[in-house]
């Protein structure tokens, strides 16, 4: 039984990583037509509705109760879903998909830094070393293999916004530890639904103020395949398989598969005609290698550390 659970866990984690890696390319395509705000609003209207339907079917209507913690769930949902999507997808419109995927994959290392701030327990020296290596790798990719250009604007605000989105989701993931009586499905469905209210509200304000253009029916129709991918495999399915992987093989084993996210994104872009230079490939290898090493070292730490692991941003 344990072997079967481990096999299923690996399959679930691999599925999630492959789907999330692909949606950076799909999302970038959609953002060429409509803005990140309406894109996220439509996407999460679909995903949240599906999560709520599945939640009611599996756990009953009583699972919709907020148990007096509605404001906390609303805040965490706003961080995890509005914060990640509005920051990261706005940033993705001004960054390359492969760069965004590498930044998103930094989430486990960012988690260690957040926990250091919260618990005052200093991470191992190896964490800082590996974070530095990972950042050097990201820098090589962002600068297209010319690090000196980072001093002259190669690191744009698009990458900074993606990083802000990742940080938002790290805080959301750590917040799940407060809801031990909630199943992963219940926590996801409730926070996503409440977070959608923030996404929709921000979109209305952005459109009304002229910061964002309201998409036309023709524009929405033209990117409907991308929206369907982002909402159903990218959000609804991938989050469920991710939660299932964590339950089957544990968060520290599951997070190892996050390294497939940038690999998948790079592979798709190469198939589409992108030709990275040697320095970019080295940068990707450095980042992925540092993340793998960090995750492997984390597995040797005290079991208590596993309870504070964070699910990756669902590129969501």
């Amino acid at each position: 039984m344990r072997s079967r659970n481990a096999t299923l866990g690996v399959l679930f984690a691999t599925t999630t990583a492959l789907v999330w890696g692909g949606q950076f390319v799909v999302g970038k395509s959609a953002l060429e037509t409509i803005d990140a705000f309406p894109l996220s609003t439509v996407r999460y209207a679909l995903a949240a509705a599906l999560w709520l339907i599945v939640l009611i079917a599996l756990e009953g209507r009583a699972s919709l109760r907020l148990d007096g913690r509605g404001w906390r769930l609303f805040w965490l949902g706003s961080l995890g879903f509005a914060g990640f999507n509005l920051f990261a997808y706005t940033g993705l419109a001004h960054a390359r998909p492969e760069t965004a995927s590498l930044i998103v994959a930094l989430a486990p290392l960012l988690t260690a830094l957040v926990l250091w701030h919260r618990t005052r327990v200093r991470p191992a020296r190896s964490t800082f070393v590996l974070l530095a290596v990972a950042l050097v790798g990201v820098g090589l990719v962002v600068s297209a293999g010319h690090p000196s250009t980072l001093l002259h604007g190669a690191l744009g605000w698009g990458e900074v916004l993606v990083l802000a989105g990742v940080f938002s989701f790290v805080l959301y993931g750590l917040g799940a530890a407060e809801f031990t009586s909630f199943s992963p499905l219940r926590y996801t469905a409730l926070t996503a639904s409440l977070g959608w209210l923030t996404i929709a509200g921000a979109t209305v304000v952005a459109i009304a103020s002229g910061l964002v253009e309201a998409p036309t029916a023709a524009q929405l129709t033209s990117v409907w395949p991308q929206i369907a991918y982002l909402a159903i495999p990218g959000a609804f399915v991938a989050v469920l398989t991710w939660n299932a992987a964590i339950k089957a093989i544990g968060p520290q084993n599951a997070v190892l598969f996050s390294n497939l996210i940038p690999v998948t994104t790079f592979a798709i872009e190469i198939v589409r005609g992108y030709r990275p230079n040697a320095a970019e490939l080295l940068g990707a290898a450095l980042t992925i290698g540092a993340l793998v090493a960090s995750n492997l070292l984390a597995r040797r730490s005290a079991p208590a550390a596993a309870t504070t692991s964070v699910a990756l941003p669902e590129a969501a």
Side-chain angles (χ1 to χ4, degrees):
M1 178 64 73
R2 179 176 299 179
S3 176
R4 180 173 179 272
N5 286 340
T7 300
L8 287 175
V10 168
L11 290 175
F12 287 142
T14 301
T15 298
T16 300
L18 294 177
V19 170
W20 284 348
Q23 71 180 350
F24 285 101
V25 179
V26 175
K28 181 73 173 181
S29 171
L31 290 168
E32 294 173 358
T33 302
I34 64 174
D35 189 86
F37 282 66
L39 174 64
S40 297
T41 300
V42 175
R43 176 193 183 190
Y44 270 96
L46 293 173
L50 289 172
W51 277 322
L52 288 174
I53 291 171
V54 173
L55 178 64
I56 293 172
L58 295 181
E59 300 186 23
R61 293 183 179 276
S63 61
L64 297 177
R65 293 198 304 256
L66 303 180
D67 295 345
R69 307 184 72 182
W71 283 113
R72 183 59 177 166
L73 288 166
F74 173 76
W75 168 245
L76 290 170
S78 296
L79 275 176
F81 294 93
F84 177 78
N85 283 276
L86 298 183
F87 280 132
Y89 273 79
T90 299
L92 179 60
H94 303 277
R96 294 184 300 159
E98 56 270 25
T99 300
S101 68
L102 281 175
I103 294 173
V104 168
L106 292 174
L109 290 177
L110 291 178
T111 301
L113 299 181
V114 172
L115 291 175
W116 181 22
H117 174 74
R118 287 186 176 184
T119 65
R120 305 299 178 185
V121 177
R122 180 185 174 89
R125 183 177 303 175
S126 61
T127 298
F128 293 103
V129 173
L130 293 170
L131 177 59
V133 172
L135 290 176
V136 168
V138 171
L140 286 172
V141 175
V142 170
S143 65
H146 302 285
S148 61
T149 61
L150 293 174
L151 301 176
H152 306 288
L155 180 61
W157 61 278
E159 288 84 7
V160 174
L161 286 178
V162 174
L163 183 61
V166 174
F167 185 72
S168 295
F169 204 88
V170 164
L171 297 178
Y172 165 78
L174 290 172
E178 303 173 24
F179 294 85
T180 55
S181 62
F182 283 30
S183 68
L185 173 61
R186 185 182 181 190
Y187 179 72
T188 300
L190 294 180
T191 52
S193 301
L194 294 170
W196 178 83
L197 297 176
T198 300
I199 296 174
T203 300
V204 170
V205 171
I207 291 175
S209 62
L211 295 175
V212 168
E213 290 186 5
T216 64
Q219 287 176 319
L220 287 173
T221 300
S222 69
V223 296
W224 187 248
Q226 291 97 313
I227 292 174
Y229 180 92
L230 294 171
I232 300 175
F236 173 70
V237 173
V239 171
L240 291 181
T241 54
W242 182 251
N243 288 334
I246 289 174
K247 183 175 182 180
I249 60 178
Q252 293 191 337
N253 287 322
V255 80
L256 280 170
F257 291 83
S258 67
N259 302 292
L260 288 175
I261 295 175
V263 172
T264 302
T265 304
F266 266 83
I268 293 173
E269 287 294 85
I270 289 171
V271 169
R272 297 177 72 224
Y274 174 68
R275 293 295 178 261
N277 59 40
E280 289 178 273
L281 292 175
L282 173 62
L286 284 175
T287 299
I288 294 168
L291 295 172
V292 170
S294 175
N295 293 332
L296 290 174
L297 289 173
R299 294 171 66 187
R300 301 177 183 177
S301 61
T307 64
T308 54
S309 294
V310 61
L312 288 173
E314 56 141 324

